[in-house]
């Protein structure tokens, strides 16, 4: 190992390899601040000065409708603005002493100019985090961020003819696509069907109207479901006769997406279809257990609601960290990558992004562990 | 021989132990449900204070050629290291703050300012020590493999050096812990001690290199002409931290009344008897807010051993309830001043340096270890009176029995 590598080593995990000089400095500083990193001291001065993980600061909360809002975030060090419109980010918020993680679509076009990103959040009646974001989060709040990801994305350059089918907050990733194309001045032939219960529930209504007025090629049909009923896919032939030739992006409630998927498959044009299913998965509280997937070894096992995740791993032949087997020593703690687990002692639920003690936790529905 | 039947020793029935266990479960749930913003603020403030103290101390030491700066810098660095070790490192790695779901304050990722890697320590401490607490032969923390802390262990000639070993252990406590944890990490890996490239050895070497490099090479070098006084300051801060950590640990585990147990006891143990073993095996010392904070709230060792993963700032409040339970079930709640608890531990260290023939008490009835046999040996009739009051027919618990035994002993000694 060369001297350069040696000096950089302590900071290697937290800084992208492309910024070599910075790495060198950070690595050298980390020798002095061991066992902490320089960031641990820097963010005492400014919480955004941390490349140890992505962070951001909420700079504006702008109401969209009565129960939805756009949250504008200024990301801290290390955020890559080079995302693709349509992708989502993970956001961690501190509520009542605890960090909660959720994923939201980015509504901002990728840009380097003002170094801001935005997401749009619709408050769900039982959603702790979404309600907090829409109704209570003050500007200036520090949030944790995860790198933008997702396959529901607009290619560059965009296809010549596009069909967007959205409903409710399903419009958010599409908004990012529309804004990007508009900003680049390359808005092609777009037909957009968006459904919402009433006029007041239409997110980004003004912006859609403006786009409609400014671009002859952008046609937007708003379907108000409470008065007009659900948008019938059979009417596509009438309102958008060439829908079969269009690249289609659809995002909304699961039944709607299932219906769309079936139709596109029947028409044999499923290659044109891009779906985003972002209904939040819920914990299965029936106590029936579920299928546990061990991501590193790609092994799976179905277990009942009384079998611990540790036992499941051992049964599946996964090398699991273990300890006291009674929930006191924290030796067996493993992160949940997706799904839910339940603490068998207290009945508390753990979701994606939490780390669980596998010896006293069971599956609450299907879940994937980072083990 | 140490306790083989905790139920008999504690003067409790199976039903008593069940209900005591349920009450303790209740305390845990209550605390778990009420963890929130105030607790989170507490740990974040502690972290911020510790980091500022360390920064301040390091900066002050740039002027360490001047005596006042040396004193201030050394004091700040010492306090910072103590807080980092006790209230932060020890408690975070117990998972006390895992509920916050904060990747930076989590048992999985925390590394501490001590010689041994935290991974090694977690295995030896959280798992071995907290699961097999005070079981002679299973819990390596009973005497740390160096000191004979109970007469359940046979005397060896090397024990004569115990008073010296004790002083060395106190001064180099972090190294004692690190080597102790390294041994258990090697064992887990299945690596021979001479196998230099084992993972355990490599992790150990890397951590030692960083720690020693920082305190004894890099920072002294940075202060240039003041390197000698900075080096001395860093060594002093480490020494102070070592001595304090040693005193706190010894006061939590080795004063009289912190009982030892046998493997037999462990093999038949129920979940609720585990609680009882933790209660009877640990000892507290009296502390106010400052002392509690500086000891990482390990002045509440009994509460810590019952609930090692509940936030440390809640121990004072839990202690009130645990103490009330002890009263209700007539169990001893071993506590005293720091000085008293330490002197008791010190007495044991020096006493047990001697061969058994110089010791009067037996392993069943000695200040540092006892067993249910000490009541049994007193004869069936006496045992009965120890369990029930002959006049009222009321049941008597362990605390009463211990007092009665002690009084009887004093009386018989007077008669002689």
């Amino acid at each position: 190992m060369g001297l350069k590598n040696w000096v950089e080593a302590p900071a290697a995990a937290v800084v992208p390899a492309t910024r070599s000089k910075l790495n060198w400095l950070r690595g050298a500083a980390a020798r002095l601040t061991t066992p902490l990193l320089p960031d641990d001291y820097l963010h005492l001065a400014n919480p955004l000065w941390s490349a140890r993980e992505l962070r951001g600061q909420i700079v504006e909360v702008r109401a969209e409708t009565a129960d939805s809002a756009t949250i504008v975030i200024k990301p801290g060090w290390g955020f890559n603005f080079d995302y693709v419109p349509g992708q989502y980010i993970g956001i961690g918020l501190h509520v009542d002493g605890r960090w909660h993680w959720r994923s939201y679509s980015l509504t901002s076009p990728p840009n380097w100019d003002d170094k801001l990103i935005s997401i749009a959040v619709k408050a769900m009646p039982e959603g702790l985090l979404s309600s907090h974001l829409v109704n209570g989060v003050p500007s200036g709040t520090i949030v944790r961020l995860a790198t933008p990801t997702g396959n529901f994305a607009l290619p560059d350059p965009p296809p010549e003819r596009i069909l967007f089918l959205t409903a409710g907050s399903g419009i958010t990733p599409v908004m990012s696509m529309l804004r990007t194309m508009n900003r680049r001045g390359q808005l092609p032939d777009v037909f957009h069907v968006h459904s919402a219960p009433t006029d007041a529930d239409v997110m980004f209504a003004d912006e859609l109207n403006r786009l409609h007025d400014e671009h002859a090629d952008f046609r937007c049909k708003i379907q108000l479901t409470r008065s007009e009923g659900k948008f019938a896919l059979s009417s596509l032939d009438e309102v958008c006769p060439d829908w079969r030739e269009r690249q289609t992006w659809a995002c909304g409630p699961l039944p709607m997406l299932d219906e769309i998927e079936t139709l596109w498959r029947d028409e044999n044009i499923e290659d044109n279809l891009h779906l985003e299913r972002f209904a939040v998965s819920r914990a299965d509280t029936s106590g029936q257990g579920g299928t546990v997937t061990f991501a590193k070894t790609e092994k799976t096992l179905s277990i009942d609601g009384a079998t611990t995740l540790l036992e499941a791993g051992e049964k599946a032949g996964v090398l699991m960290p273990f300890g006291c087997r009674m929930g006191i020593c924290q030796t067996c703690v493993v992160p949940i990558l997706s799904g839910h687990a339940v603490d068998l002692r207290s009945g508390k639920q753990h979701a994606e992004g939490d780390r669980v003690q596998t010896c006293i936790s069971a599956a609450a529905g299907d879940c994937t562990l980072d083990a | 021989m140490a306790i083989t039947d905790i139920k008999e020793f504690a003067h409790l029935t199976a039903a008593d132990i069940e209900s005591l266990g349920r009450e303790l479960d209740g305390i845990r749930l209550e605390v778990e449900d009420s963890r929130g913003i105030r607790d989170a603020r507490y740990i974040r403030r502690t972290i911020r204070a510790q980091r500022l103290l360390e920064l301040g101390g390091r900066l002050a030491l740039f002027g360490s050629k001047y005596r006042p700066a040396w004193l201030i810098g050394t004091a700040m660095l010492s306090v910072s290291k103590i807080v980092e070790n006790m209230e932060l490192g020890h408690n975070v790695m117990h998972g006390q703050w895992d509920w916050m779901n904060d990747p930076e304050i989590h048992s999985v990722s925390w590394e501490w300012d001590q010689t041994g890697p935290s991974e090694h320590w977690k295995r030896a401490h959280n798992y071995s020590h907290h699961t097999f607490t005070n079981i002679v032969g299973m819990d390596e923390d009973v005497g740390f493999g160096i000191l004979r802390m109970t007469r359940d262990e046979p005397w060896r000639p090397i024990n004569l050096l115990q008073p010296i070993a004790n002083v060395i252990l106190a001064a180099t406590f972090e190294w004692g812990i690190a080597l102790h944890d390294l041994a258990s990490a090697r064992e887990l890996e299945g690596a021979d001690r001479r196998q230099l490239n084992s993972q355990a050895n490599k992790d150990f070497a890397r951590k030692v290199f960083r720690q020693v490099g920082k305190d004894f090479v890099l920072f002294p070098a940075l202060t240039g002409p003041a390197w000698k006084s900075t080096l001395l300051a860093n060594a002093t801060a480490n020494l102070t931290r070592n001595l304090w950590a040693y005193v706190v640990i010894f006061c939590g585990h080795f004063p009289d009344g912190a009982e030892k147990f046998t493997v037999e006891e462990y093999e038949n143990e129920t979940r609720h008897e585990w609680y009882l073993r933790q209660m009877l095996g640990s000892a507290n010392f009296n502390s106010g807010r400052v002392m509690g904070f500086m000891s990482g709230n390990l002045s509440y060792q009994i509460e810590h051993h019952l609930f090692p993963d509940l936030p440390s700032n809640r121990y004072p409040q839990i202690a009130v309830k645990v103490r009330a339970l002890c009263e209700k079930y007539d169990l001893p709640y071993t506590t005293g001043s720091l000085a008293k608890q330490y002197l008791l531990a010190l007495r044991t260290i020096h006493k047990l340096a001697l061969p058994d023939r110089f010791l009067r008490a037996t392993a069943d009835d000695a200040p540092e270890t006892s067993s249910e046999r000490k009541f049994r040996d007193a004869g069936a009739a006496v045992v009965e009176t120890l369990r029930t009051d002959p006049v009222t027919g009321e049941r008597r618990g362990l605390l009463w029995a211990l007092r009665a035994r002690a009084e009887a002993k004093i009386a018989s000694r007077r008669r002689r």
Side-chain angles (χ1 to χ4, degrees), chain A residues 55-325:
Chain A
R55 286 166 185 238
Q57 185 167 32
I58 294 180
V59 293
E60 191 190 349
V61 181
R62 193 168 59 224
E64 291 293 345
T65 64
D67 62 353
S68 68
T70 284
I71 319 276
V72 183
I73 300 167
K74 180 180 157 215
W77 288 359
F79 188 84
N80 193 349
F81 288 87
D82 215 3
Y83 54 88
V84 187
Q87 287 191 312
Y88 60 87
I89 51 164
I91 173 169
L93 239 101
H94 197 231
V95 186
D96 290 336
R98 200 173 178 280
W99 288 94
H100 298 263
W101 274 100
R102 291 291 183 280
S103 296
Y104 290 104
S105 292
L106 285 157
T107 52
S108 51
N111 75 79
W112 293 83
D113 309 341
D114 46 6
K115 300 262 165 144
L116 294 175
I117 56 169
S118 65
I119 54 173
V121 180
K122 189 168 153 40
M124 303 291 169
E126 65 292 313
L128 167 83
L129 203 64
S130 60
S131 310
H132 180 74
L133 275 168
V134 172
N135 303 321
V137 68
S139 294
T141 303
I142 298 294
V143 295
R144 309 182 114 91
L145 297 172
T147 332
T149 45
N151 304 322
F152 189 77
L154 186 73
D156 186 21
E160 278 167 22
R161 281 183 294 171
I162 295 175
L163 172 62
F164 288 139
L165 297 170
T166 61
S169 56
I171 194 174
T172 53
V174 164
M175 217 47 222
S176 173
M177 299 182 186
L178 283 171
R179 284 173 177 170
T180 306
M181 293 186 288
N182 184 37
R183 193 187 177 94
R184 290 180 186 157
Q186 48 178 222
L187 195 69
D189 179 354
V190 174
F191 188 72
H192 185 176
V193 183
H194 177 60
S195 303
T198 68
D199 245 336
D201 295 309
V202 180
M203 294 168 82
F204 312 111
D206 293 346
E207 201 170 342
L208 290 173
N209 281 334
R210 218 178 312 127
L211 280 173
H212 193 93
D213 294 344
E214 288 169 11
H215 299 271
D217 288 342
F218 178 72
R219 286 175 297 152
C220 183
K221 176 178 167 39
I222 304 281
Q223 178 89 4
L224 299 176
T225 54
R226 198 156 296 161
S227 49
E228 303 169 351
K230 217 172 62 166
F231 176 75
L233 288 176
S234 53
S235 64
L236 272 175
D237 278 326
E238 194 184 314
V239 294
C240 180
D242 63 347
W243 63 275
R244 289 178 185 82
E245 283 104 59
R246 286 173 183 259
Q247 287 290 313
T248 302
W249 278 267
C251 184
L254 289 181
M256 165 184 138
L257 296 181
D258 289 341
E259 204 183 315
I260 292 172
E261 197 173 24
T262 312
L263 178 62
W264 259 251
R265 196 178 299 139
D266 291 348
E267 294 277 345
N268 239 334
I269 47 170
E270 53 203 299
D271 287 351
N272 293 350
L273 183 64
H274 314 273
L275 290 178
E276 177 90 310
R277 298 172 193 276
F278 69 28
V280 187
S281 73
R282 302 219 161 272
D284 177 356
T285 50
S286 64
Q288 297 293 309
T291 302
V292 189
T293 307
F294 299 91
K296 282 184 190 151
T297 45
E298 292 178 359
K299 286 181 174 157
T300 59
L301 188 75
S302 290
I303 54 169
D304 60 25
T307 307
T308 65
L309 297 173
L310 177 60
E311 286 167 344
E314 290 174 339
K315 255 188 232 166
V318 181
L319 202 63
M320 298 282 284
F322 73 94
C324 66
R325 292 176 178 271

Side-chain angles (χ1 to χ4, degrees), chain A residues 34 94 98-99 322 354, chain B residues 33 44 99-101 123 214:
Chain A
T34 182
H94 197 231
R98 200 173 178 280
W99 288 94
F322 73 94
D354 289 4
Chain B
D33 288 340
R44 278 218 211 84
W99 61 274
M100 295 198 304
N101 203 22
R123 186 74 197 181
K214 175 182 69 163

Side-chain angles (χ1 to χ4, degrees), chain B residues 9-181:
Chain B
F9 179 81
H11 288 59
L12 294 175
T13 63
D16 289 334
I17 293 179
E18 274 299 305
S19 74
L20 171 63
R22 268 199 302 275
E23 296 202 52
L24 288 167
D25 282 341
I27 295 177
R28 158 182 282 281
L29 278 183
E30 218 178 293
V31 174
E32 277 185 356
D33 288 340
S34 63
R35 289 178 300 203
I37 192 92
R38 288 182 58 187
D39 305 279
R41 200 181 300 139
Y42 169 80
I43 193 66
R44 278 218 211 84
R45 280 188 181 161
T46 304
I47 289 175
R48 199 181 316 134
Q50 185 271 324
R51 286 176 191 169
L52 291 175
L53 260 177
E54 171 162 9
L55 272 175
R58 299 277 186 204
L59 285 176
L61 287 175
F62 275 88
S64 59
K65 275 188 144 181
Y66 303 95
R67 216 174 156 70
W70 188 90
L71 280 172
I72 290 171
T74 308
M76 284 172 87
L77 195 56
S78 302
V79 174
S80 147
K81 278 180 180 272
I82 284 171
V83 173
E84 197 275 345
N85 235 220
M86 320 287 290
E87 186 65 333
L88 296 179
H90 173 269
N91 292 340
V92 170
M93 282 191 274
H94 260 297
Q96 294 184 1
W97 303 97
D98 285 8
W99 61 274
M100 295 198 304
N101 203 22
D102 186 333
E104 289 178 3
I105 314 175
H106 201 283
S107 62
V108 171
S109 54
W110 194 272
E111 183 60 72
W112 63 354
D113 186 32
Q114 257 215 40
T115 318
S118 59
E119 261 324 299
H120 291 182
W121 179 82
K122 263 192 291 182
R123 186 74 197 181
H125 181 85
N126 286 7
Y127 172 54
S128 302
H129 171 59
H130 274 272
T131 313
F132 310 119
T133 313
N134 285 18
I135 297 171
V136 180
M138 288 179 89
D139 178 4
E140 300 286 330
D141 281 23
V142 179
F144 297 100
I146 308 168
L147 303 176
R148 179 183 182 230
M149 294 306 289
T150 164
R151 56 198 89 192
D152 290 311
E153 288 169 2
W155 181 85
R156 288 174 300 154
I158 188 95
N159 294 135
L160 281 172
L161 298 177
Q162 203 149 283
I164 302 166
N166 175 50
V167 174
I168 296 173
L169 177 67
T172 61
F173 200 55
E174 59 172 321
W175 289 90
I177 299 284
L179 292 171
H180 170 73
D181 299 344

Side-chain angles (χ1 to χ4, degrees), chain B residues 6 65 70 144 173 178 187 217 269 272 283 321 330 332 368 381:
Chain B
I6 199 167
K65 275 188 144 181
W70 188 90
F144 297 100
F173 200 55
E187 199 179 312
V217 182
E269 187 175 81
H272 288 151
K321 293 178 183 164
D330 202 30
E368 87 287 355

Side-chain angles (χ1 to χ4, degrees), chain B residues 402-416:
Chain B
L402 286 172
R403 280 203 204 109
R405 279 287 293 160
E407 276 163 25
K409 260 166 88 180
I410 293 166
S412 81
R413 221 174 283 162
R414 274 205 206 111
R415 251 176 275 135
R416 260 188 277 142

